[in-house]
């Protein structure tokens, strides 16, 4: 949708994550103009391929789910709750504070955000992601993830573990 943000990280040809977030608008102020209140998380999508089987899921999020709040500073916390038939994810995020990273050969000031995830239902599990964002734009420039989950299938429980580190080479994406 217009004005929304769609991001996608391709970890492997057989593994990707995507997010759709839209500006959260507060009630109009006295002059009639809406005030942006951060970003609402609309959906989270993922695809895993294993042994020729593709598992693609798009979790739809509750209206109160937050992708990023309007004010992001050390100690700020927010949550999101997203679901598909039979499985629910709950994310709790906390801004840990400023960090400096090397980006495109330059020392770059970022904010570090920790997100813990709990998955329940047909799939159960937990994970932690650390995300470094540019303070001025919110652009994600580095991310590490560690997840463990188990999915109930017709052949029994399937356990899945993943660890990944993702990084932009430069602060301006191609698209």
């Amino acid at each position: 949708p217009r004005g929304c943000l769609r991001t996608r990280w391709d970890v492997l040809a057989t593994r990707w994550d995507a997010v759709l977030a839209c500006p959260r608008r507060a009630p109009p102020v006295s002059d009639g103009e809406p005030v942006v209140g951060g970003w609402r998380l609309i959906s989270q999508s993922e695809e895993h391929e294993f042994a020729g089987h593709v598992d693609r899921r798009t979790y739809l999020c509750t209206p109160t789910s937050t992708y990023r709040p309007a004010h992001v500073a050390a100690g700020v916390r927010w949550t999101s709750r997203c679901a598909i038939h039979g499985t629910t994810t709950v994310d709790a995020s906390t801004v840990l504070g400023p960090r400096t990273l090397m980006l495109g050969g330059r020392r770059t000031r970022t904010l570090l955000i920790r997100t813990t995830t709990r998955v329940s239902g047909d799939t159960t599990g937990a994970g932690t992601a650390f995300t470094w964002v540019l303070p001025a734009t919110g652009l994600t420039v580095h991310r590490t993830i560690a997840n463990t989950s188990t999915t109930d299938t017709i052949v029994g429980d399937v356990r899945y573990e993943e660890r990944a580190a993702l990084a932009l080479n430069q602060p301006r994406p191609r698209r």
Side-chain angles (χ1 to χ4, degrees):
R2 187 173 185 193
C4 295
L5 171 69
R6 185 180 310 272
T7 62
R8 178 172 156 158
W9 288 89
D10 288 83
V11 182
L12 302 166
T14 58
R15 174 71 176 95
W16 56 261
D17 285 328
V19 168
L20 175 62
C22 294
R24 177 172 277 131
R25 303 220 180 261
V29 293
S30 59
D31 65 4
E33 287 299 312
V35 176
V36 175
W39 292 87
R40 176 181 167 224
L41 184 60
I42 305 298
S43 66
Q44 296 180 0
S45 301
E46 61 184 35
E47 181 176 293
H48 303 86
E49 184 178 334
F50 180 74
H53 173 74
V54 175
D55 182 14
R56 182 178 301 135
R57 300 174 178 205
T58 297
Y59 294 83
L60 298 179
C61 305
T62 63
T64 58
S65 293
T66 297
Y67 178 63
R68 295 266 162 70
H71 176 71
V72 180
V76 171
R77 299 171 185 261
W78 64 93
T79 61
S80 66
R81 181 182 179 90
C82 307
I84 59 172
H85 180 72
T87 302
T88 299
T89 68
V90 178
D91 292 343
S93 299
T94 303
V95 178
L96 300 180
R99 300 293 192 276
T100 300
L101 288 180
M102 291 301 288
L103 181 60
R106 292 184 159 165
R107 292 175 54 83
T108 305
R109 187 169 174 85
T110 66
L111 284 175
L112 177 58
I113 301 166
R114 179 186 60 224
T115 302
T116 57
T117 301
R118 299 278 180 239
V119 183
S120 60
D122 295 339
T123 297
T124 59
T128 302
F130 290 93
T131 306
W132 290 256
V133 301
L134 296 180
T137 63
L139 176 68
T140 298
V141 295
H142 189 82
R143 189 160 194 239
T144 63
I145 55 175
N147 297 313
T148 302
S149 62
T150 302
T151 300
D152 181 22
T153 71
I154 60 171
V155 296
D157 288 347
V158 175
R159 184 173 162 84
Y160 181 80
E161 282 190 41
E162 72 178 343
R163 307 262 184 275
L166 311 166
L168 289 182
N169 293 327
Q170 57 185 344
R172 288 194 172 100
R174 286 184 276 170
R175 296 185 213 174

